[in-house]
Amino acid sequence: MTLQANELLRYRGRTYALLGLPLDSCNYEGARARMELFQMQSTALWRGYQGTWEIKRGRLWLVELAATIREYTSAENWHHAGRDLSWLFPDAEGPVLADWFTGELVSGVGAAHRVYQYAQDWANYRVFHVERGVIVGTEMR
C-alpha cells in the first residue's frame, strides 16, 4: 500500500501534516453529494482530494481543496477534472468554517520518519480538541 498524502494544517504561520480527515464528517447535503464524485487519480490519494486547513481566531477553517472527479462528456467518454473549494461549497466566498467537525485533530510536529512503506511517525503530536469548528483545547503528546 502506498503512503497516503496527508491533509495539511496551517497553525501559527507553519504548515503541518494533519492525521485525520475532518471533511469526511461534513454533513451539508450539497457538499456531501459532490464529495461522492471524488475519484482517485493517484495511489497516494485514494480519497480523491487533499484539503488545507487553518486554525485561525480559535476556529478550524477549510481554506483550500484540490479534488479530482470523473467528468463525463458523453455516455462513453469521460476524463478526470480538477475541482477546488468553490466547487464543493459554491455559496461560500473564501475559507469555510468547519462547523460540522467535532473531535480531535492530530498533527505531527517536527520531522516525520517512515515506518514501513506505508506509514509515518513523529516524535511529538499536537492535539486540538474541536467542538463544532471551535478549538476548545490543545495539548502535546
Side-chain angles (χ1 to χ4, degrees):
M1 178 181 217
T2 304
L3 182 64
Q4 294 297 291
N6 293 328
E7 296 285 273
L8 302 174
L9 178 66
R10 295 179 188 157
Y11 179 65
R12 294 184 176 170
R14 298 191 64 190
T15 302
Y16 300 92
L18 182 59
L19 308 180
L21 302 171
L23 188 57
D24 281 0
S25 61
C26 179
N27 55 3
Y28 295 158
E29 190 174 318
R32 193 85 231 150
R34 285 183 284 279
M35 288 167 59
E36 291 177 13
L37 300 175
F38 290 162
Q39 292 285 314
M40 177 193 80
Q41 190 175 6
S42 162
T43 58
L45 201 56
W46 283 89
R47 64 187 180 277
Y49 74 91
Q50 184 176 37
T52 301
W53 303 81
E54 184 172 13
I55 294 178
K56 190 173 183 178
R57 298 185 310 273
R59 289 178 164 64
L60 177 64
W61 301 86
L62 178 57
V63 295
E64 293 176 18
L65 181 75
T68 302
I69 67 166
R70 182 177 286 185
E71 186 173 74
Y72 290 90
T73 54
S74 69
E76 299 84 30
N77 297 318
W78 61 270
H79 66 277
H80 282 116
R83 294 293 184 256
D84 63 12
L85 188 60
S86 65
W87 173 82
L88 187 59
F89 296 99
D91 295 334
E93 293 183 20
V96 176
L97 176 63
D99 58 0
W100 63 81
F101 183 78
T102 294
E104 288 187 346
L105 285 180
V106 180
S107 66
V109 178
H113 63 277
R114 251 183 126 120
V115 180
Y116 307 111
Q117 288 179 289
Y118 48 84
Q120 291 176 308
D121 194 17
W122 285 263
N124 296 299
Y125 297 88
R126 181 175 285 115
V127 180
F128 299 93
H129 302 278
V130 184
E131 289 183 18
R132 298 184 69 196
V134 177
I135 308 303
V136 296
T138 306
E139 65 179 297
M140 292 294 287
R141 292 186 187 161

